[in-house]
Amino acid sequence: MAQGNNSIKKVLIVAFSLCIVCSVIVSTAAVALRPAQQLNQELDRKTNILNVANLYEPGMDVEEAFRTQITARVVELDTGEYTDQFNPDTFDGFEASRDPATGRTLSGDRDIAGLSRVENFATIYLIGDEENPDQIVLPIRGQGLWGRMMGFLAVEGDGNTIVSITYYDHSETPGLGAEVNNPRWQAQWEGKKIYEEEGDLSPEIHLTKGGASNQYEVDALSGATLTSNGVTNMLQFWLSEEAFALYLARFRSGTEPSDAEDTDTNFDDVEGA
């Protein structure tokens, strides 16, 4: 007996075939669009770096501005020295943190930013002259209320005075923690100091409730205590001896970082596309 068009068998065959076709279309689209997505991500990263350094202007050629005004270098965090083991244009610190060869595990009081693992090398961005930069842009990340927050901190060439801060990836609550990207709140950071004394490796900069009362304080986000704590913790980590303190100390003392001696180690696996 012939089966009708509404038989279970035919319905299942049609449904299965449709799933296969849709899967092929989605997979093909994902592969085809990946290069464009990567280019957009790279453009967004460069835009944020220019923005935190107060160099971005609407309608500008971001690629040209980045190429002519910014120099990327990779820093070995343990020494504060530059290294040529990696290509700064492709090196991915976040991916490097996952590799035992280029990252390390954090726990307890050492992991105040909630990172679990951190890279041993990081890409920084110099504005102006490479040996005597006007600004230094540092990548920062850490846990907020709902997840990881990733951003950039711009510091003047003295290694101690903050220019600005911005976050390009976070999932904080709109109107509360998401105010980290409110220009009025970001404006408070300009001119704030990180360390008290020249030789200090422990940062003093932090968020405080009720309004800032000195050059090491920034007013906390209203109604967003956990996000504010997250911002303080990630700055306390990334500006400490665990991360960029030794690097910044060289600018504060007037001794520019030098190039560390190269090794034959191949770290291509932790470089991005």
Side-chain angles (χ1 to χ4, degrees):
M1 183 177 182
Q3 293 181 339
N5 288 333
N6 293 327
S7 69
I8 294 178
K9 182 178 180 180
K10 288 190 175 182
V11 169
L12 291 176
I13 291 174
V14 171
F16 180 76
S17 300
L18 184 61
C19 288
I20 294 296
V21 171
C22 289
S23 297
V24 171
I25 293 174
V26 170
S27 298
T28 301
V31 172
L33 293 175
R34 185 175 181 183
Q37 292 173 338
Q38 291 175 333
L39 287 175
N40 287 335
Q41 289 174 350
E42 181 68 6
L43 183 64
D44 183 65
R45 180 183 67 85
K46 292 178 178 178
T47 299
N48 275 283
I49 292 171
L50 289 167
N51 185 54
V52 77
N54 295 327
L55 298 175
Y56 178 75
E57 296 178 4
M60 74 186 307
D61 186 333
V62 171
E63 292 289 352
E64 176 66 13
F66 195 90
R67 183 183 65 81
T68 58
Q69 299 184 64
I70 294 178
T71 301
R73 294 296 305 268
V74 176
V75 174
E76 185 173 6
L77 300 182
D78 285 346
T79 64
E81 302 284 2
Y82 295 128
T83 176
D84 291 326
Q85 296 180 56
F86 311 96
N87 181 347
D89 295 327
T90 58
F91 180 72
D92 187 332
F94 181 66
E95 290 299 322
S97 68
R98 304 179 180 185
D99 190 330
T102 54
R104 64 187 188 275
T105 300
L106 298 172
S107 61
D109 294 340
R110 296 180 61 198
D111 191 21
I112 59 174
L115 301 171
S116 298
R117 289 189 60 83
V118 67
E119 57 270 27
N120 297 328
F121 305 85
T123 305
I124 56 86
Y125 305 90
L126 304 170
I127 289 81
D129 182 70
E130 185 176 343
E131 295 185 359
N132 188 27
D134 297 323
Q135 295 182 49
I136 308 158
V137 176
L138 309 172
I140 57 174
R141 69 178 186 276
Q143 289 297 312
L145 172 59
W146 300 114
R148 187 179 68 235
M149 302 172 65
M150 302 185 73
F152 294 106
L153 178 74
V155 180
E156 289 187 11
D158 63 2
N160 195 39
T161 305
I162 293 176
V163 176
S164 186
I165 191 172
T166 190
Y167 288 94
Y168 62 89
D169 184 18
H170 67 79
S171 54
E172 300 307 284
T173 307
L176 297 173
E179 290 296 288
V180 290
N181 279 338
N182 186 318
R184 291 194 300 273
W185 183 76
Q186 291 178 334
Q188 299 181 71
W189 291 84
E190 184 177 3
K192 294 296 181 179
K193 301 295 183 181
I194 301 172
Y195 308 97
E196 282 190 339
E197 303 292 340
E198 180 179 300
D200 287 348
L201 297 178
S202 297
E204 293 296 326
I205 186 70
H206 63 279
L207 272 60
T208 183
K209 291 182 179 180
S213 61
N214 59 54
Q215 60 185 346
Y216 305 103
E217 294 181 345
V218 174
D219 193 19
L221 297 160
S222 179
T225 299
L226 294 181
T227 301
S228 296
N229 290 343
V231 172
T232 291
N233 289 337
M234 74 178 73
L235 290 178
Q236 291 282 313
F237 175 83
W238 287 105
L239 297 172
S240 74
E241 197 171 0
E242 291 280 359
F244 293 115
L246 288 175
Y247 174 70
L248 294 177
R250 297 182 180 278
F251 290 97
R252 289 155 57 208
S253 66
T255 305
E256 294 86 3
S258 59
D259 292 293
E261 184 177 347
D262 292 341
T263 68
D264 294 329
T265 306
N266 188 336
F267 291 118
D268 291 342
D269 290 343
V270 299
E271 296 191 9

